[in-house]
Amino acid sequence: MKSVLITGAAGFLGSHLCDKFIHNGYKVIGMDNLITGDLKNIEHLFKHEHFDFYHHDVTKFVHVPGKVDYILHFASPASPIDYLKIPIQTLKVGSLGTHNLLGLAKEKKARILIASTSEVYGDPLVHPQSEEYYGNVNTIGPRGVYDEAKRFQESITMAYHRFHGLETRIVRIFNTYGPRMRLNDGRVIPAFMGQALRGEDLTVFGDGSQTRSFCYVDDQVDGIYKLLLSDYSLPVNIGNPHEISILEFAKEIIKLTGTDQKIIYKPLPKDDPLQRQPDITKAKEILGWEPKVSRSEGMKRTFEYFQGLTEEELFRSEHKDFSKHNRL
Ligand code: UDP
């Protein structure tokens, strides 16, 4: 039986990856410090005989007993609101955390896949973004802590690959959504869905002409799985190329939720990318992967998830108190 260590296991993507690997017959070791992750996302796995969980912060030395065949490093805050609240942890998990996990992979002779991001392209001047584009990142802006941590993460991963001969994979994840997104993480999909469910107006930032391309989580996880098992060590974009402006998207959500919410406008956050669309030629050619779930189907499934939240969860302003972690 192959065993896989998944960091960020209690997070949105991490928990779906745990499900995927358990389903495919792996032994899964989940790890999370639970700053932004939530045990609720993986509690259904605790009864499974091939699932283990370590409550651990990967910015500290990481030890796992026994054989590890694969490591997937998915621990990181991943929303602009979180970067503002826990900027140092965001930098540390991408840099020190990645270093620790590369060291562990070397020790265990494991293959490691690291979660990178479309944010390495910053506010892109090239459209759509292919893996060859070097990006346009403001190093000292509010998103810089995430973007630069992820860029460093790619560099150190390639250094371990080239210098130590480590088997490495790098996925550049574009906006992904689905059940288990945190309701109040500030991202646009939970924000709009939460607002619709609470009967509030939808907050569009700027004039809403900025674009995003949303990938359903099952497609994303499938792409990551295929990349891990491929023999390709350079970065690969995984995302859905169907692009939409945020204003159009707000209108779609109003239609989907059957509410009569109005749209109100708020200032555009600093360095908010104006357009984003993955070029997935590489993923198609190398992995034979492309997304299958349409936006309408994926949004329907996601809205059903948010509809299943309790009133208390729906109206809680933020279920995480980050303040104590700022001392870490
Ligand atoms: N956005 C918005 N209203 C919100 C939250 C986000 O208009 O309540 C916009 C945000 O400015 C950005 C887009 O939606 O242009 C996607 O934001 P998100 O935080 O989901 O992801 P990212 O900017 O990292 O792609």
Side-chain angles (χ1 to χ4, degrees), residues 78-81 83 117-119 143 146 174-176 181 185-192 195 201-214 246-247 249-250 264 266-269 271-276:
S79 92
I81 297 274
Y83 319 147
T117 166
S118 54
E119 283 283 324
R143 287 172 181 254
Y146 183 65
F174 282 66
N175 294 67
T176 299
M181 289 189 97
D185 76 354
R187 312 212 71 142
V188 69
I189 292 171
F192 284 176
Q195 287 161 348
D201 294 333
L202 267 56
T203 52
V204 165
F205 296 164
D207 63 5
S209 63
Q210 71 273 29
T211 67
R212 293 295 185 273
S213 310
F214 298 114
I246 295 301
L247 182 56
F249 180 60
I264 54 169
K266 295 262 174 92
L268 190 68
D271 298 333
D272 196 290
L274 286 181
Q275 49 181 5
R276 184 182 288 154

Side-chain angles (χ1 to χ4, degrees), residues 75-318:
S76 177
S79 92
I81 297 274
D82 289 347
Y83 319 147
L84 290 175
K85 287 186 185 159
I86 40 174
I88 318 282
Q89 288 76 10
T90 304
L91 279 158
K92 282 169 71 177
V93 75
S95 54
L96 306 181
T98 302
H99 187 211
N100 286 337
L101 291 160
L102 287 164
L104 182 69
K106 183 157 128 324
E107 170 70 23
K108 300 278 185 186
K109 300 187 173 40
R111 178 181 298 176
I112 181 167
L113 180 147
I114 62 136
S116 187
T117 166
S118 54
E119 283 283 324
V120 300
Y121 303 122
D123 188 3
L125 305 176
V126 164
H127 195 73
Q129 295 81 53
S130 80
E131 291 84 348
E132 278 67 47
Y133 179 49
Y134 293 160
N136 175 40
V137 171
N138 175 4
T139 58
I140 56 169
R143 287 172 181 254
V145 295
Y146 183 65
D147 301 5
E148 288 305 327
K150 290 294 184 181
R151 288 166 69 98
F152 172 83
Q153 183 183 49
E154 290 196 3
S155 303
I156 192 170
T157 299
M158 288 311 295
Y160 266 71
H161 173 68
R162 295 192 176 115
F163 189 74
H164 289 302
L166 198 67
E167 287 192 34
T168 55
R169 306 285 178 267
I170 298 173
V171 56
R172 289 191 181 147
I173 298 169
F174 282 66
N175 294 67
T176 299
Y177 69 98
R180 302 184 195 155
M181 289 189 97
R182 227 168 74 227
L183 182 67
N184 294 311
D185 76 354
R187 312 212 71 142
V188 69
I189 292 171
F192 284 176
M193 291 194 177
Q195 287 161 348
L197 286 167
R198 290 188 299 265
E200 297 167 2
D201 294 333
L202 267 56
T203 52
V204 165
F205 296 164
D207 63 5
S209 63
Q210 71 273 29
T211 67
R212 293 295 185 273
S213 310
F214 298 114
C215 182
Y216 189 65
V217 64
D218 290 359
D219 283 331
Q220 181 63 245
V221 162
D222 186 41
I224 292 165
Y225 187 75
K226 289 197 162 91
L227 176 60
L228 177 74
L229 298 186
S230 78
D231 56 8
Y232 192 73
S233 54
L234 294 175
V236 178
N237 289 338
I238 298 286
N240 189 320
H242 288 141
E243 188 179 357
I244 186 172
S245 77
I246 295 301
L247 182 56
E248 278 310 306
F249 180 60
K251 291 178 188 163
E252 271 191 13
I253 294 289
I254 291 173
K255 211 180 271 169
L256 166 75
T257 58
T259 48
D260 55 1
Q261 260 58 41
K262 290 188 190 45
I263 290 172
I264 54 169
Y265 294 89
K266 295 262 174 92
L268 190 68
K270 183 157 171 48
D271 298 333
D272 196 290
L274 286 181
Q275 49 181 5
R276 184 182 288 154
Q277 186 203 103
D279 176 340
I280 58 165
T281 311
K282 271 214 167 84
K284 280 186 185 160
E285 286 174 4
I286 296 166
L287 312 177
W289 174 90
E290 63 183 316
K292 295 193 177 75
V293 182
S294 66
R295 191 166 62 238
S296 60
E297 176 57 28
M299 290 300 163
K300 202 164 119 286
R301 291 186 210 168
T302 308
F303 188 56
E304 279 164 11
Y305 167 78
F306 284 117
Q307 279 176 309
L309 297 182
T310 62
E311 286 275 297
E312 198 263 328
E313 285 168 328
L314 195 58
F315 284 90
R316 191 163 33 183
S317 61
E318 172 59 80

